[in-house]
Amino acid sequence: QVQLVESGGGLVQAGGSLRVSCAASGHPFNMYTMSWFRQAPGKERELVAAIIRLTSSTNYADYADSVQGRFTVSRDNAKNTVYLQMNSLKPEDKAVYYCAASTIQLLATSLRRISTYDYWGQGTQVTVSS
């Protein structure tokens, strides 16, 4: 059974940066799609960023409009880890950030459909103060 464990969350001042990580364990099969979702209190869980492995050397990254240009998603296949570098953080970025993974390539609207993902982490809290 594959497990996803997020880490790196915390409290940061507005304008600051955080880097959260998601490590997959349990001898995971290659996860072609690894994504970051976030959920603020009383809000729907929303896709923040995703990285989709297209070939052995190419990936496609997708971002929510609200984080485009500020967040960067990357992955280290050897470590079975995906990262989300968050820069220029805003108070509205405060949420629990969840890692999700799929063994297939998810594109377009499929990326945003929670039910399409095979695995989920427990989440890591990101708090941005003003």
Side-chain angles (χ1 to χ4, degrees):
Q1 182 70 208
V2 173
Q3 293 182 322
L4 303 179
V5 180
E6 300 97 335
S7 62
L11 174 65
V12 65
Q13 185 77 22
S17 299
L18 278 177
R19 185 182 180 90
V20 291
S21 303
C22 173
S25 63
H27 299 92
F29 187 82
N30 186 49
M31 301 296 167
Y32 281 86
T33 302
M34 297 192 75
S35 303
W36 286 98
F37 286 77
R38 68 185 181 187
Q39 187 168 26
K43 303 294 184 181
E44 292 284 297
R45 190 171 298 189
E46 63 176 353
L47 179 70
V48 177
I51 185 163
I52 304 96
R53 189 176 186 179
L54 301 178
T55 70
S56 61
S57 59
T58 60
N59 295 281
Y60 171 76
D62 190 42
Y63 300 91
D65 291 342
S66 59
V67 306
Q68 182 72 47
R70 299 189 297 120
F71 291 10
T72 302
V73 64
S74 61
R75 65 189 299 168
D76 185 330
N77 293 321
K79 296 181 179 180
N80 292 311
T81 301
V82 63
Y83 306 93
L84 184 67
Q85 178 68 45
M86 301 180 286
N87 298 327
S88 301
L89 283 161
K90 304 175 181 179
E92 51 263 44
D93 294 319
K94 178 183 177 181
V96 176
Y97 283 71
Y98 297 91
C99 178
S102 174
T103 57
I104 63 174
Q105 296 172 332
L106 299 178
L107 300 173
T109 57
S110 296
L111 285 170
R112 297 163 177 81
R113 186 174 298 172
I114 293 174
S115 62
T116 64
Y117 289 86
D118 302 300
Y119 307 100
W120 288 88
Q122 291 298 114
T124 185
Q125 177 72 51
V126 172
T127 301
V128 184
S129 64
S130 59

